[in-house]
């Protein structure tokens, strides 16, 4: 059974005339008759009975028409959906680390959707640490991820999008606030709050302390700067974090690192190399790249 046979059958059933159905389908009447005869042989039922120059459906034909109509409608919807995906529509699944949830992701997606050619695109948003997002990307759950770079993922294209300086944050009035800049050794004397140790920034900031021979007394971990800053503000300790909007509060003191120890963190967009991307995803990748250019 083919879609052509279903189309021929449907038109003959609606028009009740083989010749008119053949003209509608742009084939010869004998070809349409042979196709329907082959369909009847395959189904082992008679679908039409002759009534003069016309044909009418048998009881089996009426039942088959219900199914054929559903199938042809589904095919048409599928065609329309694919056309929608290939032109101005589509859906994009993205995953990102929590620090990007407050501003970067909402602003970037809103600016993208504000363009006329993108207004019919939909998004699904997911938030987790980089390692989890990478696994989701490789399994096909996400089209794009945003987070830290991973050196052991040769099949992922990482595009730098944001560069963030790493700074120290202290409770207002903390003794270290009298210093214009802090150094790694300062963290040895106080309780320290940090990022989740398994996250990209958690590994990155801990490598800084290891590089300078410091073993801070970590008392708490948090997934993002907002959580860390809130605990710092209440005097739980000090922290080393990315310089983002959420740490700028009246109850927080921000200090840079001394020039010889200063460093930054880069946030990346990642997607699978060599994998087919829907036009909507391709446009979003190009949009993000152009914004950073």
């Amino acid at each position: 059974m083919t879609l052509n046979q279903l189309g021929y059958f449907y038109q003959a059933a609606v028009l009740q005339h083989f010749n008119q159905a053949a003209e509608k389908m742009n084939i010869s009447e004998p070809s349409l008759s042979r196709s329907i005869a082959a369909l009847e042989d395959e189904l082992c039922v008679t679908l039409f009975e002759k009534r003069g120059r016309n044909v009418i459906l048998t009881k089996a034909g009426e039942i088959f028409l219900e199914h054929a109509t559903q199938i042809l409608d589904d095919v048409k919807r599928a065609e329309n959906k694919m056309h929608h995906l290939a032109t101005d529509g589509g859906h994009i699944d993205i995953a990102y680390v929590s620090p990007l949830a407050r501003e970067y992701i909402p602003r970037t997606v809103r600016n993208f959707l504000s363009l006329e050619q993108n207004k019919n695109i939909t998004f699904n948003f997911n938030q987790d640490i980089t390692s989890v997002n990478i696994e989701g990307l490789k399994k096909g759950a996400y089209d794009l991820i945003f987070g830290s770079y991973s050196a052991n993922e040769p099949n992922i294209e990482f595009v730098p999008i944001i560069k963030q300086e790493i700074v120290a944050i202290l409770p207002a009035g903390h003794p270290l606030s009298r210093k214009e800049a802090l150094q790694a050794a300062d963290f040895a004397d106080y309780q320290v709050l940090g990022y989740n140790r398994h996250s990209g920034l958690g590994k990155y900031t801990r490598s800084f302390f290891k590089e300078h021979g410091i073993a801070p007394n970590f008392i708490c971990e948090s997934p993002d700067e907002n959580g860390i800053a809130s605990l710092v503000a209440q005097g739980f300790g000090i922290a080393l974090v990315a310089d983002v909007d959420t740490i700028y509060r009246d109850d927080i003191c921000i200090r840079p690192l001394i020039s010889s120890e200063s460093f930054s963190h880069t946030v990346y967009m990642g997607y699978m190399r060599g994998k087919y991307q829907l036009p909507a995803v391709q446009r979003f990748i190009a949009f993000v790249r152009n914004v950073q250019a």
Side-chain angles (χ1 to χ4, degrees):
M1 186 187 307
T2 67
L3 285 177
N4 281 341
Q5 285 178 307
L6 291 179
Y8 300 156
F9 165 78
Y10 176 82
Q11 290 299 333
V14 170
L15 297 172
Q16 297 186 345
H17 202 288
F18 276 14
N19 189 49
Q20 292 177 13
E23 291 179 359
K24 183 74 176 287
M25 299 301 291
N26 198 29
I27 62 171
S28 67
E29 191 275 336
S31 294
L32 183 137
S33 296
R34 286 194 298 270
S35 178
I36 291 180
L39 182 60
E40 290 177 323
D41 287 343
E42 181 179 349
L43 297 175
C44 299
V45 294
T46 298
L47 299 172
F48 292 99
E49 292 179 331
K50 284 188 174 294
R51 289 289 174 87
R53 295 183 178 181
N54 289 54
V55 293
I56 61 170
L57 289 170
T58 64
K59 185 173 183 179
E62 291 175 352
I63 295 173
F64 188 66
L65 178 61
E66 294 179 9
H67 295 285
T69 301
Q70 181 65 51
I71 292 169
L72 292 171
D73 286 346
D74 286 343
V75 170
K76 187 61 178 178
R77 281 192 291 270
E79 290 176 344
N80 291 338
K81 182 65 175 178
M82 293 306 102
H83 177 73
H84 180 65
L85 293 177
T87 53
D88 64 345
H91 180 79
I92 304 174
D93 290 292
I94 65 174
Y96 46 88
V97 292
S98 56
L100 302 179
R102 177 175 177 175
E103 182 177 351
Y104 178 80
I105 292 296
R107 183 185 70 245
T108 301
V109 172
R110 173 46 53 204
N111 290 341
F112 174 74
L113 293 176
S114 69
L115 300 177
E116 181 65 23
Q117 67 268 31
N118 302 326
K119 66 180 183 180
N120 293 322
I121 294 172
T122 58
F123 279 81
N124 189 42
F125 301 94
N126 304 272
Q127 183 177 301
D128 214 316
I129 61 176
T130 295
S131 59
V132 174
N133 292 340
I134 284 176
E135 289 306 308
L137 179 68
K138 292 193 292 186
K139 291 177 181 178
Y142 310 132
D143 299 302
L144 300 165
I145 60 172
F146 296 82
S148 299
Y149 174 80
S150 180
N152 300 317
E153 299 294 345
N155 295 323
I156 298 178
E157 180 75 22
F158 286 98
V159 180
I161 56 171
I162 306 172
K163 184 176 182 181
Q164 302 167 328
E165 293 300 318
I166 301 297
V167 297
I169 57 174
L170 329 161
H174 191 277
L176 289 176
S177 65
R178 294 190 292 269
K179 301 181 68 172
E180 292 185 0
L182 272 59
Q183 56 188 357
D186 291 325
F187 289 82
D189 300 326
Y190 299 93
Q191 291 181 322
V192 177
L193 299 127
Y195 293 100
N196 183 312
R197 71 188 66 195
H198 301 296
S199 68
L201 268 171
K203 295 175 182 177
Y204 193 52
T205 50
R206 278 168 171 74
S207 69
F208 167 81
F209 292 121
K210 184 177 181 179
E211 178 184 340
H212 291 88
I214 302 298
N217 176 23
F218 284 104
I219 64 163
C220 184
E221 296 180 356
S222 182
D224 57 42
E225 295 83 8
N226 186 50
I228 295 174
S230 295
L231 293 170
V232 167
Q234 293 300 317
F236 282 85
I238 63 177
L240 199 61
V241 298
D243 188 359
V244 296
D245 291 343
T246 53
I247 66 174
Y248 285 82
R249 307 165 36 153
D250 293 339
D251 50 6
I252 290 288
C253 177
I254 303 171
R255 291 292 180 268
L257 295 172
I258 60 174
S259 59
S260 61
E261 295 183 358
S262 64
F263 67 115
S264 61
H265 167 68
T266 301
V267 178
Y268 293 82
M269 171 178 65
Y271 54 90
M272 298 303 296
R273 288 193 174 113
K275 178 182 177 181
Y276 170 75
Q277 304 282 9
L278 289 172
V281 178
Q282 296 174 20
R283 293 206 299 275
F284 188 63
I285 291 173
F287 177 82
V288 173
R289 282 180 174 273
N290 289 336
V291 168
Q292 307 310 317

